[in-house]
Amino acid sequence: ELVSMGCQMNAADSERMAGSLEGLGFKHVEDLGDGQASGKADVVVVNTCSIRDHAEQKVYSVLGPYARRKRNGEPVGIV
């Protein structure tokens, strides 16, 4: 899963990262972080902007469900 928050530059950067990850063999999985998605992501990339305070603060709420999965022993990488 690749989550992009903040400025428009982040959206473009996220698209480039998604292409690079797909080139390495990763598959995109829609993952809501709560297990109610089509599949659970093994790797979660959160691309945020530290210039925009709202995006920086929002990242913590986005990471919550993934961190819970990790604490429960699921093999999930958070970047």
Side-chain angles (χ1 to χ4, degrees):
E1 176 73 5
L2 200 144
V3 181
S4 183
M5 292 181 272
C7 63
Q8 292 175 340
M9 290 293 292
N10 283 20
D13 291 343
S14 292
E15 286 181 28
R16 276 193 294 275
M17 280 191 279
S20 295
L21 291 169
E22 286 176 13
L24 293 171
F26 288 89
K27 295 180 184 175
H28 182 261
V29 176
E30 290 293 330
D31 187 343
L32 302 177
D34 60 4
Q36 296 183 11
S38 60
K40 290 186 178 180
D42 295 326
V43 177
V44 180
V45 178
V46 181
N47 183 20
T48 188
C49 178
S50 63
I51 294 172
R52 297 190 181 219
D53 187 56
H54 178 69
E56 190 173 358
Q57 296 305 314
K58 188 176 175 184
V59 73
Y60 296 110
S61 64
V62 169
L63 288 177
Y66 299 110
R68 221 175 352 270
R69 284 178 50 198
K70 193 167 185 73
R71 280 193 303 273
N72 289 336
E74 291 186 50
V76 59
I78 303 170
V79 180

